[in-house]
Amino acid sequence: MEFINTLFFGIYPYIATGIFFLGSLLRYDREQYSWKTGSSQMLSSKNFRIANVLFHVGIIMILLGHFAGLVLPWEIWHALGISLPAKQLIAMGVGGFFGVLCFIGLTMLVKRRLFDPRIRANSSKMDTVILLLIYLQLIVGLVTIVISSGHMDGAVMYNLMSWSRYLLTFRPVEAVEFISSVHPVYKFHVALGITLFVLFPFSRLVHIWSIPVQYVRRSYQIVRQKA
């Protein structure tokens, strides 16, 4: 078990990070025409907008919550007067709310992808695999909220924060010690999340890199005149 913990939570994250960045760079350099969302709205628009909005709002807030919960140092939360039990309660409440929103939207998208003949015929295997993996990851994440309700002292959250902190400071041996004792469902959730980073460069998820930030800074308007 110690070897498995070290492999999945001490070594695998660094391998995944390398594949994530290097794979994204190589794909952008060699396959720019595949760097797109591949929207299927034109094939079937029924309930697509509401499903898309629910999914994206939910997933964005969940990712921001994970960043705040795992990456921000515990000292920042302590300075704000937020204890570990309070932080866990906030995470469960906010994560649960946006998790349910995301679940509703993603369920609609999964149903559409699998059971709409036109969408299914125009979907690649990777499209379907990624969608189902995200769906599974979301369900496991919601299950962790239920498990967390059985221990409201914030100890598990502290262990996961410490695991992330030690990984980011390149101390994998110490990091593994913190995550070794947590519930297997948490470990599966973490391992599956890392795997999504591995698959990221080979899927349509790369469109996340192409957030049109430049449009926010534009102060001019392009006007096309008839010849």
Side-chain angles (χ1 to χ4, degrees):
M1 182 60 69
E2 182 178 351
F3 171 76
I4 294 176
N5 285 328
T6 301
L7 176 63
F8 277 98
F9 307 111
I11 299 174
Y12 188 36
Y14 295 115
I15 296 174
T17 302
I19 294 174
F20 174 74
F21 286 110
L22 183 59
S24 296
L25 180 63
L26 289 175
R27 180 168 176 183
Y28 182 77
D29 182 57
R30 298 183 179 184
E31 300 180 26
Q32 291 191 24
Y33 286 109
S34 68
W35 195 278
K36 57 185 179 180
T37 61
S39 176
S40 57
Q41 185 174 3
M42 293 182 64
L43 298 175
S44 176
S45 59
K46 183 179 179 181
N47 297 325
F48 176 77
R49 179 170 295 182
I50 182 64
N52 197 43
V53 169
L54 288 174
F55 167 66
H56 280 91
V57 169
I59 200 72
I60 289 172
M61 294 306 298
I62 289 172
L63 291 175
L64 290 175
H66 278 66
F67 176 83
L70 293 176
V71 178
L72 290 183
W74 155 241
E75 289 79 7
I76 293 179
W77 294 99
H78 182 70
L80 294 173
I82 301 176
S83 64
L84 277 173
K87 181 177 180 294
Q88 177 175 328
L89 186 61
I90 293 172
M92 290 172 62
V94 176
F97 175 75
F98 286 106
V100 169
L101 287 186
C102 187
F103 178 77
I104 295 172
L106 191 52
T107 298
M108 295 169 68
L109 293 175
V110 168
K111 179 182 177 182
R112 179 174 176 271
R113 179 75 58 183
L114 296 180
F115 300 106
D116 187 305
R118 296 184 68 192
I119 303 299
R120 188 172 64 249
N122 286 274
S123 300
S124 68
K125 290 183 179 179
M126 182 57 77
D127 290 340
T128 304
V129 168
I130 284 293
L131 191 65
L132 291 178
L133 283 179
I134 294 175
Y135 196 44
L136 175 61
Q137 177 71 331
L138 176 62
I139 293 172
V140 175
L142 291 173
V143 171
T144 64
I145 295 177
V146 178
I147 296 175
S148 295
S149 64
H151 47 80
M152 297 298 295
D153 57 357
V156 171
M157 178 163 285
Y158 177 78
N159 284 341
L160 293 174
M161 291 171 65
S162 298
W163 168 77
S164 174
R165 181 173 185 170
Y166 279 92
L167 272 185
L168 291 172
T169 52
F170 301 101
R171 291 178 285 178
V173 176
E174 294 91 332
V176 172
E177 293 177 0
F178 282 100
I179 201 171
S180 295
S181 60
V182 302
H183 194 285
V185 173
Y186 292 104
K187 291 183 180 180
F188 180 69
H189 188 54
V190 171
L192 186 55
I194 297 171
T195 301
L196 286 171
F197 277 88
V198 173
L199 297 176
F200 181 96
F202 311 103
S203 70
R204 66 171 61 187
L205 291 178
V206 292
H207 78 274
I208 295 173
W209 288 117
S210 302
I211 300 175
V213 178
Q214 66 271 20
Y215 290 105
V216 178
R217 301 196 304 267
R218 280 189 175 181
S219 58
Y220 59 88
Q221 181 179 7
I222 298 176
V223 178
R224 299 184 183 275
Q225 296 181 345
K226 293 183 178 180

